[in-house]
């Protein structure tokens, strides 16, 4: 009888741990997909916009950019133009982990003031 209770308790603990691990994996995948949806830009969009284009027109072609990786994307880039507001994205052309390219769009006075790309650090 004591062995049976021990087995039931052990199986219960294993089940709870298994559910916890599964929840963590699902949460992690959700965060990754969230990052991809909000920070990945098609290279054609980058090439298609020109300095001087209206900020509203350019931003309409871009995802929100609000993601937990935003601070990491800022690292290693050139100095932001003074008085501008910038948004950082990952190039959709990157297929290999560790070789991501950051695409930065900076806006000033309602226009695209600068666009630049650099390797992610």
């Amino acid at each position: 009888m004591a062995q049976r209770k021990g087995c039931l308790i052990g199986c219960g603990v294993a089940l709870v741990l298994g559910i916890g691990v599964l929840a963590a994996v699902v949460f992690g995948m959700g965060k990754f997909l969230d990052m991809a949806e909000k920070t990945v830009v098609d290279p054609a969009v980058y090439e298609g916009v020109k300095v001087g284009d209206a900020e509203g027109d350019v931003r309409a072609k871009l995802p929100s950019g609000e993601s937990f990786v935003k601070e990491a994307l800022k690292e290693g880039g050139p100095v932001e133009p003074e008085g501008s507001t910038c948004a950082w994205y990952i190039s959709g052309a990157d297929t290999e982990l560790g070789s991501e390219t950051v695409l930065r769009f900076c806006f000033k006075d309602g226009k695209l003031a600068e666009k630049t790309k650099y390797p992610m650090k």
Side-chain angles (χ1 to χ4, degrees), residues 35-42 63 89-93:
M35 178 201 69
E37 181 179 302
K38 293 180 179 179
T39 61
V40 175
V41 170
D42 187 318
Y89 303 92
I90 298 171
S91 174

Side-chain angles (χ1 to χ4, degrees), residues 43-96:
V45 171
Y46 179 82
E47 296 302 329
V49 297
K50 305 289 181 234
V51 171
D53 287 354
E55 179 176 356
D57 293 343
V58 175
R59 286 196 185 268
K61 297 174 183 176
L62 301 172
S64 73
E66 293 304 318
S67 176
F68 65 95
V69 298
K70 183 177 177 180
E71 291 303 316
L73 297 178
K74 291 180 179 183
E75 291 181 24
V79 176
E80 298 170 41
E82 192 171 320
S84 67
T85 303
C86 298
W88 292 261
Y89 303 92
I90 298 171
S91 174
D94 298 332
T95 57
E96 190 176 314

Side-chain angles (χ1 to χ4, degrees), residues 1 9 13 15 40 45 48 54 66 87 104 108 110:
M1 187 84 162
I9 291 171
V13 169
L15 180 64
V40 175
V45 171
E66 293 304 318
R104 185 180 78 186
K108 185 175 181 180

Side-chain angles (χ1 to χ4, degrees), residues 16-30:
V16 169
L17 289 176
I19 290 171
V21 168
L22 181 62
V25 167
V26 169
F27 178 76
M29 288 298 291

